[in-house]
């Protein structure tokens, strides 16, 4: 899948003006087949395209603008679940009271607490029942009636969430995982009641052993209270661990959203007034003291300091800022008092956009997940048929009702497709959340598929491999000319120009020599250079000399051979020397290229600069293939040509002129320090302007994808291997329940390992 399919909301609105999008919170889903049912019902509505994510419990719906959202909600409710739009953010007036509020953690979640309470009570009651059944030595006269007394509340009250969901689905003509659990546990419990009250199992002195396989027995004297209670307790444990792990998996996104400051000291008529962040407006000026968070994106208008952006970018070293520098909301002022003018507030801030990108990625589905959903949708009815066939087959072959019943119940319980539904969403939740912590934003799950296939990475030179800022590199003074004098006069004239090369010369001169003299009669000659009067001398900088002394011409040629931009400096009609400037290669670029090579990628340097400059940069960072002198509109053609050659191309860029190439590439990586257009066009956004993060992003994406595939292999393999064992009568129902619960916990735990990615 190429990046061109990942249309931005703006693009969608432009091509489909009659469509709207909404996100609903769906309640009552207990497994992947529930999500598949809701998705199927919504997609049957005219013009509606819906994606329902079991792990995030959200439905993302694109629908005709003429369709009321209430109709979408009604469809979900008719399917047997609840639906509502997310609550709007609190009004600014309420922010002051909300500053100390924190979302409930895993232990403070009311639903999780209720589930834990149900689990603890059920486990305490079920443990003696299981022990009495498994250890014949503990069986005393009438032990079976104690087992019934303890097991009944576990099956009825402890298993109530399963029974309620199964009944709701039955009313809507559907079967889900809860149907399997409810049928299995109630069948085992019902059989035991019949044996106790109408068979021989209630007789004083009744004893029976415990076997992990099906064995022939007298049906009238066999009870399965330990299976009914044990399975219920194990499944409650699995569901609680699953719910708790899902909350932990989404913790990175919640932490990201909580990073921002709660209140801010705004300057009003020269006085500082503390107000909630929600009341900030673009253009407001606010004060940030050392140790405080910067309230929103803005520009420093007074003061200087050092900003720690590690929470957003993963970069541990604070960066110096001064007047005119841009700062990002939620970063911390490590030193110095700053006065900042707000340039973006609310949903427009960098933090809010990061959070939105992460949430969008977590709500989407990769192709492998869609396959799993389709399988889950038909899995439960197939299992019911297998259970019925197992019962009939055993009964016909052996005539043993107990053996037939036990095998059928084991099939029902072992088959629950929980792990299948959790395999992809949990890995996505953890992977994208961890990426956000490291300054890597993955736009959607389909991006993960692209990272696996990429073999070529095209690197835009300016702003990606290099800093994008010209700096003074060399000064050559002809014989008889003082080097400092040459630089002072050149810097003085260039100080009056806005050209990037001129700014680099002026800045370099000021850094080396201090304050520069004033210039008079300044004149800029387009395409040739600048001239002006400094300290009584007519100074020229650029290509204003038609003839050059041999040594000056030689110095200019050598500088250009080394990839520098050379400007000739002279006065009083004579060329006196050369100053050379160059775009600085980032210190980390060579290491980044080496890491990309280790990932099996072939780096290609792409630039509009002349070939000599490009090859100089390529040598410095270790790139062999260079494509230079490319116009901005030709970058797309270069990417398309590489793809036609059979390569799968990733593009790394940061400028407006890179946006189309980023969208055309199989995988677009946008530097977060670049333009909004590039960030919108990319599939992965690297918040920190460090090319090494590109390698980290590809590694994280590949690791997340491999985790998803590992989860799916386990989930599919588990069901495929376990169903025949259960149907063959080789699994006791209680052991089947424990194995099913373990399968879900294994998948979630395996996904959580991504939190350790570095």
């Amino acid at each position: 899948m190429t990046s061109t399919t990942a249309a931005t909301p703006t693009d969608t609105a432009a091509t489909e003006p009659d469509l709207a999008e909404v996100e609903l919170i769906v309640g009552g889903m207990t497994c992947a087949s529930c999500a598949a049912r809701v998705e199927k019902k919504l997609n049957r509505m005219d013009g509606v395209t819906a994606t329902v994510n079991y792990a995030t419990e959200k439905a993302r719906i694109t629908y005709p603008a003429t369709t009321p959202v209430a109709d979408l909600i009604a469809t979900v409710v008719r399917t047997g679940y609840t639906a509502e739009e997310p609550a709007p953010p609190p009004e600014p007036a309420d922010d002051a009271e909300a500053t100390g509020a924190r979302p409930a953690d895993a232990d403070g979640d009311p639903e999780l607490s209720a589930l834990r309470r149900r689990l603890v009570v059920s486990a305490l009651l079920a443990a003696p029942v299981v022990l009495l059944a498994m250890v014949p030595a503990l069986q005393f006269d009438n032990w079976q009636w104690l087992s019934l007394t303890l097991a009944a509340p576990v099956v009825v009250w402890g298993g109530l969430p399963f029974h309620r969901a199964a009944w709701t689905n039955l009313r809507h003509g559907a079967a889900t995982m809860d149907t399997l659990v409810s049928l299995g546990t109630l069948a085992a419990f019902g059989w035991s009641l019949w044996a106790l009250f109408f068979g021989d199992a209630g007789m004083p002195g009744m004893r029976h052993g415990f076997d992990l396989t099906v064995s022939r027995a007298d049906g009238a004297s066999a009870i399965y209270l330990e299976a009914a209670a044990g399975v219920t307790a194990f499944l409650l444990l699995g569901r609680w661990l699953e719910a708790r792990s899902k909350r932990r998996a989404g913790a990175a996104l919640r932490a990201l959203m909580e990073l921002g400051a709660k209140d801010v000291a705004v300057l009003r008529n020269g006085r500082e007034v503390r107000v909630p962040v929600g009341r900030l407006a673009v253009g407001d000026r606010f004060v940030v003291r050392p140790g405080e968070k910067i309230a929103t994106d803005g520009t420093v208008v007074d003061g200087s300091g050092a900003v720690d952006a590690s929470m957003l970018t993963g970069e541990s070293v604070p960066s110096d800022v001064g007047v005119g520098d841009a700062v990002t909301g939620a970063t911390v002022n490590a030193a110095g008092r700053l006065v900042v003018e707000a340039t973006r507030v609310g949903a427009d801030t960098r933090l809010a956009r990061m959070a939105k990108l992460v949430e969008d990625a977590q709500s989407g589905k990769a192709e492998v997940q869609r396959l799993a959903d389709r399988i889950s949708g038909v899995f439960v009815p197939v299992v019911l048929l297998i259970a019925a066939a197992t019962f009939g087959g055993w009964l016909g072959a052996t005539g043993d009702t107990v053996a037939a019943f036990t095998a059928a119940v084991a099939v029902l319980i072992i088959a629950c497709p929980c792990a299948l539904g959790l395999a992809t969403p949990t890995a996505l939740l953890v992977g994208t959340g961890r990426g956000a912590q490291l300054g890597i934003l993955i736009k959607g799950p389909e991006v993960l598929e692209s990272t696996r296939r990429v073999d070529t990475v095209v690197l835009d030179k300016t702003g990606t491999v290099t800093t994008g800022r010209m700096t003074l590199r060399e000064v050559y003074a002809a014989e008889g000319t003082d080097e400092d004098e040459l630089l002072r006069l050149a810097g003085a004239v260039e100080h009056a120009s806005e050209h990037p090369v001129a700014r680099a010369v002026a800045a370099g001169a000021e850094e080396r020599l201090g304050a520069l003299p004033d210039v008079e009669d300044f004149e800029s000659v387009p395409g040739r250079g600048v001239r002006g009067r400094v300290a009584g001398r007519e100074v020229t900088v650029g290509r204003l000399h038609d003839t050059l002394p041999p040594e000056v011409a030689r110095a200019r040629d050598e500088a250009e051979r080394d990839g520098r931009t050379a400007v000739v400096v002279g006065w009083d009609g004579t060329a006196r020397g050369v100053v050379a400037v160059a775009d600085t290669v980032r210190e980390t670029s060579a290491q980044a290229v080496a890491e990309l090579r280790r990932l099996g990628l072939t780096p290609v340097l792409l630039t509009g600069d002349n070939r000599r400059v490009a090859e100089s940069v390529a040598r410095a960072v270790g790139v062999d293939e260079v494509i230079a002198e490319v116009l901005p509109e030709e970058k797309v053609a270069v990417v398309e040509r590489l793809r036609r050659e059979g390569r799968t191309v990733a593009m790394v860029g940061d400028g407006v002129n890179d946006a189309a190439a980023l969208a055309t590439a199989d995988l677009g990586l946008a530097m977060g320090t670049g333009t909004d257009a590039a960030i919108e066009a990319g599939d992965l956004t690297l918040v920190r302007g460090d090319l090494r993060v590109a390698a980290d992003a590809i590694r994280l994406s590949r690791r997340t994808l491999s985790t998803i595939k590992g989860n799916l292999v386990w989930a599919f393999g588990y069901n495929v291997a376990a169903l025949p064992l259960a149907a063959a009568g080789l699994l006791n129902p209680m052991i089947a329940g424990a194995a099913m619960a373990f399968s879900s916990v294994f998948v979630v735990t395996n996904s959580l390992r991504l939190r350790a990615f570095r």
Side-chain angles (χ1 to χ4, degrees):
M1 182 182 290
T2 68
S3 303
T4 51
T5 60
T8 65
T10 307
D11 297 332
T12 305
T15 56
E16 303 280 0
D18 57 334
L19 294 182
E21 189 173 285
V22 69
E23 191 172 76
L24 299 180
I25 298 172
V26 180
M29 294 192 298
T30 54
C31 65
S33 48
C34 295
R37 280 191 61 230
V38 176
E39 191 171 292
K40 189 188 218 175
K41 291 283 187 184
L42 286 168
N43 283 323
R44 282 181 180 168
M45 297 177 69
D46 289 339
V48 171
T49 305
T51 299
V52 181
N53 192 309
Y54 167 50
T56 58
E57 297 176 342
K58 288 180 181 177
R60 176 156 292 163
I61 308 167
T62 303
Y63 63 100
T66 53
T67 303
V69 175
D71 288 0
L72 303 172
I73 293 174
T75 299
V76 177
V77 171
R78 281 197 301 273
T79 311
Y81 305 91
T82 63
E84 61 181 0
E85 292 187 73
E91 292 296 319
D94 299 332
D95 286 356
E97 290 84 0
T99 54
R102 292 177 59 83
D105 57 19
D107 293 327
D109 186 296
E111 290 184 21
L112 209 54
S113 297
L115 184 57
R116 183 174 59 180
R117 188 163 52 249
R118 197 180 293 270
L119 164 64
V120 170
V121 172
S122 298
L124 290 174
L125 293 175
V129 179
V130 174
L131 282 172
L132 284 170
M134 291 180 67
V135 185
L138 297 177
Q139 295 170 4
F140 51 86
D141 287 347
N142 296 314
W143 66 275
Q144 65 271 43
W145 296 103
L146 174 63
S147 290
L148 175 63
T149 305
L150 296 173
V154 176
V155 176
V156 177
W157 175 78
L160 187 60
F162 306 110
H163 307 319
R164 188 188 291 130
W167 173 246
T168 300
N169 289 315
L170 181 62
R171 287 196 348 250
H172 292 88
T176 67
M177 183 206 87
D178 298 291
T179 308
L180 305 181
V181 173
S182 184
L183 269 178
T185 54
L186 289 178
F189 188 68
W191 179 281
S192 301
L193 287 178
W194 181 86
L196 284 168
F197 287 99
F198 302 104
D200 302 330
M203 301 291 291
M206 190 276 283
R207 304 283 189 277
H208 74 59
F210 181 83
D211 198 339
L212 293 183
T213 62
V214 173
S215 56
R216 296 180 65 83
D218 178 8
S221 63
I223 60 175
Y224 289 96
L225 292 172
E226 81 283 357
V231 164
T232 301
F234 276 126
L235 293 182
L236 283 171
L237 173 64
R239 185 159 289 185
W240 177 73
L241 288 171
E242 174 188 313
R244 187 164 169 267
S245 297
K246 275 161 63 179
R247 280 193 60 82
R248 288 175 62 199
L253 178 58
R254 287 195 301 277
L256 190 65
M257 292 173 144
E258 291 168 25
L259 281 178
K262 306 301 180 192
D263 55 14
V264 57
V266 180
L267 289 175
R268 303 268 195 242
N269 299 320
R271 292 177 56 248
E272 293 182 24
V273 181
R274 206 100 198 155
V275 300
V277 167
R279 289 184 181 166
L280 263 182
V282 173
D284 281 349
R285 294 189 172 192
F286 57 92
V287 177
V288 190
R289 290 185 172 78
E292 290 183 342
K293 287 182 180 177
I294 297 171
T296 193
D297 297 359
T299 304
V300 178
V301 293
D302 186 35
S304 61
V307 173
D308 178 3
S310 57
M311 61 191 68
L312 285 183
T313 66
E315 175 59 70
S316 58
V317 180
S319 56
D320 294 332
V321 296
V323 175
D325 289 334
V327 290
T328 304
T331 55
V332 176
N333 180 19
R337 178 183 182 274
L338 301 176
V339 177
V340 179
E341 183 174 306
T343 55
R344 286 175 175 170
V345 296
D348 293 331
T349 64
R350 196 175 182 192
L351 175 67
R353 287 159 64 208
M354 281 176 63
K356 183 74 170 68
L357 280 172
V358 176
E359 192 170 22
D360 287 349
Q362 293 181 348
S363 299
K365 289 187 179 182
E367 194 55 41
V368 285
Q369 172 67 10
R370 296 187 187 281
L371 173 64
D373 285 352
R374 286 196 293 272
I375 291 172
S376 295
V378 299
F379 191 72
V380 174
V382 168
V383 168
L384 291 174
L385 289 174
I386 292 174
T390 299
F391 182 83
W394 273 83
L395 195 61
T398 66
D400 188 340
T401 310
V402 174
F405 170 78
T406 306
V409 169
V411 167
L412 288 173
I413 291 168
I414 198 71
C416 299
C418 277
L420 203 58
L422 290 168
T424 298
T426 51
L428 266 180
L429 278 169
V430 184
T432 53
R434 181 59 182 152
Q437 289 177 327
L438 297 173
I440 301 165
L441 305 184
I442 301 170
K443 270 200 177 174
E446 62 278 359
V447 172
L448 305 177
E449 305 278 1
S450 302
T451 61
R452 178 172 54 90
R453 299 190 300 268
V454 165
D455 53 33
T456 301
V457 57
V458 176
L459 307 172
D460 172 60
K461 181 183 76 70
T462 306
T464 303
V465 176
T466 66
T467 62
R469 294 188 302 274
M470 290 285 190
T471 55
L472 179 66
R473 306 302 291 274
E474 293 166 355
V475 178
Y476 172 79
E479 189 175 347
T481 303
D482 180 68
E483 187 176 296
D484 285 352
E485 181 71 1
L486 180 89
L487 184 57
R488 179 179 290 106
L489 295 176
V493 177
E494 295 281 52
H495 196 273
S497 173
E498 292 299 317
H499 193 281
V501 171
R503 287 203 299 268
V505 173
E510 281 185 315
E511 187 178 331
R512 292 193 192 184
L513 307 171
L516 300 174
D518 295 330
V519 62
E520 299 172 350
D521 301 330
F522 174 81
E523 180 190 0
S524 175
V525 182
R528 299 275 288 166
V530 293
R531 61 164 59 98
R533 181 180 293 277
V534 182
R537 289 174 171 167
E538 289 287 345
V539 182
T540 57
V541 183
R543 293 184 295 168
L544 293 171
H545 292 272
D546 295 323
T547 58
L548 300 178
E551 56 180 329
V552 174
R554 197 162 46 247
R556 182 197 60 187
D557 294 343
E558 285 178 4
E560 289 179 348
R561 257 199 312 276
D562 291 337
R564 315 275 196 252
T565 298
V567 291
V568 177
V569 182
W571 55 85
D572 299 336
T574 305
R576 312 282 180 157
V578 172
V579 290
V581 299
D583 188 2
T584 308
V585 175
R586 293 182 188 272
E587 293 179 2
T588 56
S589 291
Q591 183 184 343
V593 168
E595 289 178 10
L596 290 168
R597 285 188 184 281
R598 278 196 291 273
L599 290 171
L601 304 177
T602 301
V604 177
L605 189 69
L606 179 65
T607 181
D609 274 354
N610 67 66
R611 176 160 294 278
R612 193 175 286 174
V613 171
E615 288 177 347
S616 171
V617 171
R619 282 195 301 274
V621 298
V623 174
D624 299 326
E625 190 172 347
V626 177
I627 302 173
E629 299 173 9
V630 176
L631 295 174
E633 57 271 22
E634 293 174 344
K635 290 186 176 182
V636 172
V638 169
V639 172
E640 288 176 339
R641 175 174 62 78
L642 291 171
R643 294 180 66 204
R644 282 197 302 273
E645 291 173 2
R647 304 199 206 184
T648 304
V649 180
M651 168 81 187
V652 187
D654 74 324
V656 172
N657 58 357
D658 298 325
L662 286 168
T664 304
D666 297 281
L667 180 69
L669 294 92
M671 303 293 274
T673 50
T675 63
D676 290 350
I679 292 169
E680 287 295 333
D683 299 307
L684 289 161
T685 299
L686 316 177
V687 178
R688 190 178 354 141
D690 186 339
L691 190 57
R692 287 177 302 179
V693 184
D696 291 339
I698 291 173
R699 280 197 305 115
L700 175 61
S701 297
R702 288 181 177 179
R703 180 84 60 84
T704 304
L705 184 65
S706 67
T707 301
I708 289 172
K709 292 191 169 177
N711 285 347
L712 286 171
V713 166
W714 167 265
F716 278 120
Y718 162 82
N719 285 124
V720 168
L723 271 175
L725 290 176
L730 300 176
L731 282 178
N732 178 282
M734 190 180 68
I735 303 301
M740 195 281 286
F742 169 76
S743 177
S744 295
V745 174
F746 171 84
V747 162
V748 176
T749 305
N750 188 46
S751 297
L752 286 172
R753 291 191 307 125
L754 286 167
R755 294 174 80 187
F757 177 87
R758 295 190 181 281

